[in-house]
Amino acid sequence: MNTLSIPDHAATGVFVFCFVATIVLGSTVRLWRPLLNRRRATTSHTADEEWGLGGREFGAWVTWFLVGGDFYTAYTVIAVPALVYSTGGFGFFALPYTIIVYPFIFAVMPRLWTIARDGGHATAADIVRARFGSRTLELAVALSGLVAVLPYIALQLIGIRTVIEALGLTGMLPLLIAFVSLAAYTWLGGLHAPALTAFIKDIMIYIAVLAAVIIVPIHLGGYGAMFHAAARHLPPVPDGHIVAQGQTVPYATLALSSAFAAFLYPHTLTGILAAKSADTIRQNAVFLPVYTIVLGLIALLGLMAHAAGIVTTSSSQVVPQLFLAIFPSWFAGFCFAAIAVGALVPASVMAIGAANLIMHNILPGRGESVTGSRIAGFGVKVGALICVMFLNARFAIDLQLLGGVIILQTFPALIMGLLPLRLPAPALVAGWVIGSVSGLGLCWMDGLKPVHPVAFAGFSASVSTGLLALAINIAVTFALGSVIRIALGASPATLRTGPGLRR
């Protein structure tokens, strides 16, 4: 059994150098980016489009790092191993979810990108407004995105705070450092900062993870010894299955709902809309599964921690303590910097995506102001900071799960709105209201758990609450839509779309 390890000055020095260097590179990107981009120097964009969408000019490589960068956050490195450490095989549910999402990206996202490019749209709410001509529906989608992304940013701040605390700093200082770093990085660099420094984050995380999956098992006597040691500490599973029988339905439905929600968040959609072409998105859908391999390796860190004898009451400290126990101090500092940079990049994209919603949809008419976008992005980060200060880390994670329930209710308007079947805006608004209220109500009744017990016609299992609320949303939308069509005497294909939509 390991007691908590304390790093020395070498770990702190390496961490500070790597973390500060990334922030400086990101915040000064407008000074050095023209040196890399001379051929496109004549391309003209509005200042707001340049800050919030990178001028819609990111090619395959930049998009790959940007989308992967905000899809696989630092909290992935912290939370997924922590869940595996606590529950065993159930913690691997993130792997099928990331596999399901790539065909969805390939089939749907290029179409959304084309609509956004043709209409000059920067957000999901822009697309919905143009499609249905409904200000109410636009506000519903924008507010859902804003509320859902706040706890996500809070979790990134917690990720940075966790590694700074592991370096020995205590009190409010780690959180203050995390907030100031994120604010400076985003304010000056805009979307170019995370896009052009995301490769630094990925390379650092690849080095840390590859070192862990090679060196840690060697240190512990091999993978066989590692799995054997971990099995002694995990809940027993009968018949050699990976998860218990009662966990299979929640495992599958959580993976499915997470896949549907993944590209409805404003930050992931921002990365998609910033691509320079629909083919760029399709190419990324083909190659992004590489990240899933890395995610599987990251999840193994939870089992390695058991084998290494890490015992901690704070699951967020599982990975930092594993690195401190196994690696030399200076390399542990490097790994901590990789985790912190891994939080910085996606948190920046999240703040920019939320700022786009505020400036384009919640406060329309101010979308051309880059200063306004910067202030809105700063306000979003302050909101995330308040979440961290006044809620404990466990409750922040619960809020992130609630965010998934909320953002899923935009699925009918944004994704089903692409179907030839015309859905009336009032029906979509009603479905959104009832789906959101019922989903949040079920979460509240279940003590903020992400699954709800269902018993029907002999079937009994716990099902993803977000998926249940989405089913209610869709049922209400179609039922009310049918009533409206009958009342108007219209066929499903003749209900009008908004005048702003161009294809």
Side-chain angles (χ1 to χ4, degrees), residues 336-357:
F336 290 177
I339 295 172
V341 173
L344 195 68
V345 169
S348 176
V349 184
M350 292 171 193
I352 291 169
N356 286 341
L357 287 174

Side-chain angles (χ1 to χ4, degrees), residues 25-64:
L25 277 174
S27 58
T28 60
V29 65
R30 62 190 175 90
L31 301 178
W32 54 266
R33 186 175 67 90
L35 300 176
L36 306 175
N37 220 15
R38 288 177 178 171
R39 285 183 303 173
R40 291 193 287 269
T42 57
T43 305
S44 62
H45 303 285
T46 65
D48 176 67
E49 191 174 44
E50 190 70 28
W51 188 86
L53 286 178
R56 300 182 198 264
E57 61 182 16
F58 296 148
W61 277 107
V62 174
T63 301
W64 193 74

Side-chain angles (χ1 to χ4, degrees), residues 221-361:
Y223 271 94
M226 184 193 81
F227 286 122
H228 184 72
R232 293 199 303 268
H233 298 276
L234 293 171
V237 179
D239 301 327
H241 294 139
I242 301 299
V243 296
Q245 187 174 3
Q247 291 179 318
T248 52
V249 173
Y251 183 99
T253 56
L254 278 176
L256 188 60
S257 63
S258 299
F260 284 160
F263 276 83
L264 299 175
Y265 282 103
H267 56 286
T268 44
L269 199 58
T270 295
I272 290 293
L273 298 186
K276 71 176 182 180
S277 71
D279 281 341
T280 299
I281 298 166
R282 293 190 186 93
Q283 291 169 12
N284 271 270
V286 172
F287 294 110
L288 275 173
V290 173
Y291 276 101
T292 301
I293 299 173
V294 179
L295 180 60
L297 298 177
I298 290 172
L300 288 176
L301 297 178
L303 302 181
M304 294 178 189
H306 279 302
I310 302 298
V311 178
T312 173
T313 56
S314 172
S315 59
S316 297
Q317 286 293 337
V318 166
V319 171
Q321 288 302 317
L322 174 67
F323 288 161
L324 284 172
I326 302 296
F327 291 146
S329 183
W330 68 268
F331 191 69
F334 173 85
C335 296
F336 290 177
I339 295 172
V341 173
L344 195 68
V345 169
S348 176
V349 184
M350 292 171 193
I352 291 169
N356 286 341
L357 287 174
I358 293 172
M359 299 306 294
H360 285 257
N361 308 111

Side-chain angles (χ1 to χ4, degrees), residues 99-448:
I99 293 170
I100 293 169
V101 80
Y102 298 123
F104 179 77
I105 298 172
F106 189 91
V108 176
M109 290 300 145
R111 182 165 172 75
L112 268 184
W113 180 91
T114 302
I115 292 172
R117 189 275 314 271
D118 292 349
H121 309 313
T123 68
D126 282 348
I127 296 171
V128 167
R129 180 193 60 224
R131 173 75 173 171
F132 298 100
S134 169
R135 171 67 175 150
T136 305
L137 196 57
E138 176 191 9
L139 273 176
V141 172
L143 290 173
S144 297
L146 184 60
V147 172
V149 84
L150 268 181
Y152 228 142
I153 300 174
L155 288 177
Q156 306 313 311
L157 290 175
I158 291 173
I160 300 175
R161 184 183 68 178
T162 297
V163 292
I164 295 177
E165 285 176 341
L167 289 168
L169 296 181
T170 58
M172 288 295 294
L173 189 58
L175 184 59
L176 185 62
I177 293 172
F179 175 77
V180 172
S181 304
L182 176 60
Y185 180 77
T186 307
W187 182 280
L188 296 173
L191 192 60
H192 285 292
L196 298 184
T197 56
F199 75 95
I200 298 175
K201 166 227 171 191
D202 281 8
I203 291 172
M204 291 177 71
I205 286 184
Y206 293 159
I207 291 172
V209 172
L210 287 176
V213 298
I214 294 172
I215 296 173
V216 175
I218 291 174
H219 184 83
L220 299 176
Y223 271 94
M226 184 193 81
F227 286 122
H228 184 72
R232 293 199 303 268
H233 298 276
L234 293 171
V237 179
D239 301 327
H241 294 139
I242 301 299
V243 296
Q245 187 174 3
Q247 291 179 318
T248 52
V249 173
Y251 183 99
T253 56
L254 278 176
L256 188 60
S257 63
S258 299
F260 284 160
F263 276 83
L264 299 175
Y265 282 103
H267 56 286
T268 44
L269 199 58
T270 295
I272 290 293
L273 298 186
K276 71 176 182 180
S277 71
D279 281 341
T280 299
I281 298 166
R282 293 190 186 93
Q283 291 169 12
N284 271 270
V286 172
F287 294 110
L288 275 173
V290 173
Y291 276 101
T292 301
I293 299 173
V294 179
L295 180 60
L297 298 177
I298 290 172
L300 288 176
L301 297 178
L303 302 181
M304 294 178 189
H306 279 302
I310 302 298
V311 178
T312 173
T313 56
S314 172
S315 59
S316 297
Q317 286 293 337
V318 166
V319 171
Q321 288 302 317
L322 174 67
F323 288 161
L324 284 172
I326 302 296
F327 291 146
S329 183
W330 68 268
F331 191 69
F334 173 85
C335 296
F336 290 177
I339 295 172
V341 173
L344 195 68
V345 169
S348 176
V349 184
M350 292 171 193
I352 291 169
N356 286 341
L357 287 174
I358 293 172
M359 299 306 294
H360 285 257
N361 308 111
I362 298 175
L363 301 173
R366 295 174 174 82
E368 298 299 320
S369 168
V370 67
T371 302
S373 296
R374 283 172 167 160
I375 294 172
F378 183 79
V380 169
K381 290 187 279 285
V382 171
L385 179 66
I386 291 172
C387 285
V388 178
M389 290 176 64
F390 292 98
L391 299 172
N392 65 41
R394 181 187 175 280
F395 197 57
I397 294 170
D398 292 333
L399 280 182
Q400 195 272 334
L401 295 173
L402 288 177
V405 174
I406 293 170
I407 201 67
L408 266 176
Q409 306 316 311
T410 65
F411 186 91
L414 185 63
I415 305 301
M416 293 172 59
L418 299 176
L419 299 174
L421 177 67
R422 303 298 189 229
L423 295 167
L428 288 163
V429 172
W432 174 81
V433 170
I434 296 175
S436 300
V437 171
S438 58
L440 293 177
L442 290 176
C443 286
W444 182 260
M445 289 167 50
D446 296 331
L448 298 181

Side-chain angles (χ1 to χ4, degrees), residues 12-31:
T12 304
V14 172
F15 172 85
V16 170
F17 174 78
C18 296
F19 191 48
V20 171
T22 304
I23 293 171
V24 171
L25 277 174
S27 58
T28 60
V29 65
R30 62 190 175 90
L31 301 178

